[in-house]
Amino acid sequence: MKKILVIIRYFERAIFFYRIKKALEVKNYEFIFIVDHISAYFYLKYYKCNVYLIKKRCIDIKINKNIENTVEYKTGKLNYTQLKDIYVSTYFLINKIYKKESLDYIFIWNGTSIFDLPVIDFARKYNINTFFFEIANLPGKIFVDKKGTNARSDLYNDKRILETYNIDEKSFIEWKKNYLQKKLCNHIVLQAKKRKYAALISFIDIIYSVCISGIEYDSSFLLERVLSKFYHKKLDIFYDNVDYDKMNYIFFPLQVSNDSQILIHSDISLRDSVLYAIKEAKEKNLELVIKPHPAEHNQKIFKEICKLKEKHKFYFINDNTFKLIKYAKKVITINSTVGLEAKICGKEVEILGRAFYKDFTEEDLRRYILGYLVNIDYFSDEKISEEAIKELEKRMC
């Protein structure tokens, strides 16, 4: 029997990886979970999973020098001492498990968290096969890679991987037609979907983190996090009412300012990227249309962008993203999925950050979407198909 260790944090991730477990356990795989959030722990315990909860430990080990290149540090959620505590505590736990269990694989979500770093280091030290999972932002599909996500992925470094997938052009044309038809009618950002009781679950996790775990968190950050789960102050956005379909414009979709795509996979900030889009629009004698991200809640950064709007006279438009892509002369993005969507639409796209799809041809697109991506719907509770599990096992060979 082959053993898979899964490192996860959030309740939603526990639901997703439990579905993976249910599908793979019939293939003679055994799962062991490491979690940080108490809600994820009790969810997996309820289903009689082998699950360990990270608790504070003090041991003397060498700390990875890239500890500050994690999402928690980049967003100011944790200081260096807190990062060290989490790194050491997580490493201690996986080492303890490894002494009892032989591990064949490790599954990690995204890979940019401080909780992921010690697991990645441990896997490399003991040569354990590791796979990284991420939402693909295309319906019913997830990204799975052995090196990491986006600019850290194997695919980013070598897109020749796609050559192993032979996808019929007719199939892609049919997929593209259906996809665009649906998106032009209704475009919902999948990450914005919330499960029922999400706020209550997060509140319980925070109380556990503060009172029981022993791992210290910044009190002001935790207070802000608690309040945000029950009350989101909406950004004061005044959208422009213009006939953009009759304009000549560049489309720039804003990304969430604290997203790992910007913090980890880009050397350009949100503000500087807007300044670049302004400059490009002026040079090409085009208008600039910007769509704020629905999940953005950083008032400070958004106020800075509003000041730029006042000075440079571009437009804020809140409409279907695919319609905005459709009528644009060009799309500029840091590394948002909107860039990939614009490529699907056949638009000129400029990528300012690092993105695996940057140099994709039409053929690369169809191989990536209908071949490379695994057909598992992250947001579903349905049983994972036999076909998807076969593809996952193929990657693991």
Side-chain angles (χ1 to χ4, degrees):
M1 179 174 285
K2 293 185 177 180
K3 295 184 180 180
I4 300 172
L5 179 77
V6 186
I7 170 75
I8 51 176
R9 300 194 64 203
Y10 303 109
F11 185 77
E12 272 201 1
R13 306 282 191 267
I15 295 172
F16 171 76
F17 279 111
Y18 179 68
R19 288 171 60 217
I20 298 281
K21 174 189 179 296
K22 291 291 288 180
L24 277 175
E25 66 185 358
V26 297
K27 303 276 189 178
N28 213 28
Y29 290 92
E30 183 182 332
F31 277 68
I32 304 159
F33 295 92
I34 292 179
V35 302
D36 153 61
H37 282 34
I38 195 72
S39 61
Y41 176 80
F42 280 122
Y43 174 84
L44 294 167
K45 269 292 182 187
Y46 177 80
Y47 288 106
K48 298 179 171 56
C49 297
N50 188 2
V51 54
Y52 293 81
L53 190 60
I54 298 168
K55 295 178 183 177
K56 187 174 180 179
R57 292 289 186 270
C58 295
I59 57 171
D60 186 23
I61 60 168
K62 186 178 178 181
I63 306 295
N64 189 315
K65 63 182 180 181
N66 291 319
I67 198 170
E68 294 178 359
N69 194 29
T70 52
V71 171
E72 291 85 357
Y73 187 81
K74 296 268 190 180
T75 54
K77 292 177 181 177
L78 299 171
N79 62 37
Y80 186 80
T81 302
Q82 293 159 344
L83 292 173
K84 238 173 86 175
D85 283 347
I86 292 170
Y87 184 96
V88 167
S89 302
T90 307
Y91 197 96
F92 172 87
L93 183 53
I94 188 174
N95 189 55
K96 178 184 173 182
I97 294 167
Y98 190 67
K99 286 177 180 177
K100 294 197 305 182
E101 314 266 9
S102 60
L103 300 175
D104 298 285
Y105 304 98
I106 293 177
F107 287 177
I108 298 174
W109 185 268
N110 188 284
T112 58
S113 168
I114 181 57
F115 289 89
D116 302 328
L117 188 59
V119 180
I120 295 167
D121 290 343
F122 192 91
R124 285 173 181 163
K125 182 178 178 179
Y126 292 99
N127 199 29
I128 305 169
N129 292 313
T130 308
F131 292 88
F132 296 82
F133 293 70
E134 181 61 281
I135 295 171
N137 285 335
L138 291 170
K141 296 177 183 292
I142 59 164
F143 184 96
V144 182
D145 191 278
K146 65 181 180 181
K147 292 282 182 67
T149 56
N150 205 348
R152 291 180 175 177
S153 67
D154 206 24
L155 180 60
Y156 178 84
N157 293 308
D158 185 11
K159 72 170 189 172
R160 287 176 301 177
I161 291 168
L162 298 175
E163 291 173 11
T164 59
Y165 299 95
N166 295 313
I167 305 299
D168 178 65
E169 188 176 357
K170 187 179 177 183
S171 300
F172 182 66
I173 291 169
E174 187 63 27
W175 175 89
K176 182 175 171 180
K177 179 185 173 185
N178 293 332
Y179 175 69
L180 293 178
Q181 217 168 40
K182 288 177 184 175
K183 288 294 183 178
L184 282 166
C185 294
N186 184 28
H187 184 239
I188 298 171
V189 178
L190 295 179
Q191 293 97 317
K193 289 177 72 174
K194 296 287 182 185
R195 289 185 187 270
K196 200 176 179 182
Y197 311 126
L200 179 60
I201 288 166
S202 292
F203 183 69
I204 292 167
D205 286 331
I206 291 163
I207 295 301
Y208 170 80
S209 298
V210 175
C211 303
I212 302 170
S213 74
I215 296 171
E216 295 180 12
Y217 290 84
D218 181 76
S219 56
S220 61
F221 157 65
L222 285 171
L223 178 62
E224 181 188 325
R225 187 176 160 192
V226 171
L227 292 173
S228 72
K229 295 302 172 185
F230 294 95
Y231 171 68
H232 271 311
K233 185 179 179 182
K234 288 187 177 181
L235 296 174
D236 295 323
I237 307 174
F238 296 96
Y239 291 104
D240 297 291
N241 186 18
V242 293
D243 295 326
Y244 62 85
D245 56 330
K246 296 173 184 173
M247 289 166 41
N248 293 318
Y249 64 91
I250 287 175
F251 175 43
F252 182 78
L254 289 184
Q255 291 171 245
V256 179
S257 55
N258 64 356
D259 189 86
S260 64
Q261 294 289 71
I262 295 177
L263 297 177
I264 306 294
H265 301 304
S266 175
D267 298 317
I268 189 170
S269 69
L270 201 61
R271 184 180 183 277
D272 287 343
S273 63
V274 172
L275 285 169
Y276 178 85
I278 290 166
K279 180 174 172 285
E280 184 72 4
K282 285 180 179 176
E283 285 180 359
K284 293 189 179 298
N285 198 29
L286 296 170
E287 302 289 355
L288 177 61
V289 166
I290 290 180
K291 180 177 179 178
H293 198 286
E296 180 63 77
H297 299 290
N298 190 316
Q299 301 280 347
K300 184 181 175 183
I301 287 177
F302 197 74
K303 280 180 182 176
E304 288 180 13
I305 293 169
C306 286
K307 285 179 183 177
L308 292 176
K309 181 181 187 295
E310 193 176 322
K311 182 179 178 181
H312 297 283
K313 311 299 179 188
F314 52 79
Y315 299 96
F316 277 160
I317 295 181
N318 186 31
D319 205 342
N320 182 301
T321 300
F322 275 75
K323 287 181 181 176
L324 292 166
I325 292 171
K326 180 180 178 180
Y327 295 108
K329 297 296 180 185
K330 178 180 178 179
V331 175
I332 296 176
T333 179
I334 298 176
N335 48 20
S336 166
T337 305
V338 176
L340 181 68
E341 292 167 337
K343 277 183 173 281
I344 293 169
C345 294
K347 291 290 178 177
E348 179 189 352
V349 183
E350 185 172 0
I351 314 293
L352 305 181
R354 294 182 290 277
F356 62 86
Y357 62 80
K358 187 172 184 176
D359 300 316
F360 272 15
T361 63
E362 177 81 8
E363 190 174 17
D364 292 331
L365 273 176
R366 72 169 183 257
R367 286 176 169 172
Y368 169 72
I369 294 167
L370 296 186
Y372 183 82
L373 293 178
V374 182
N375 293 320
I376 302 175
D377 187 348
Y378 174 82
F379 297 98
S380 171
D381 294 318
E382 297 296 316
K383 181 181 175 182
I384 295 169
S385 71
E386 182 68 24
E387 179 195 3
I389 290 304
K390 280 181 181 176
E391 179 58 32
L392 197 53
E393 282 191 290
K394 187 178 166 186
R395 306 274 173 101
M396 293 163 66
C397 291

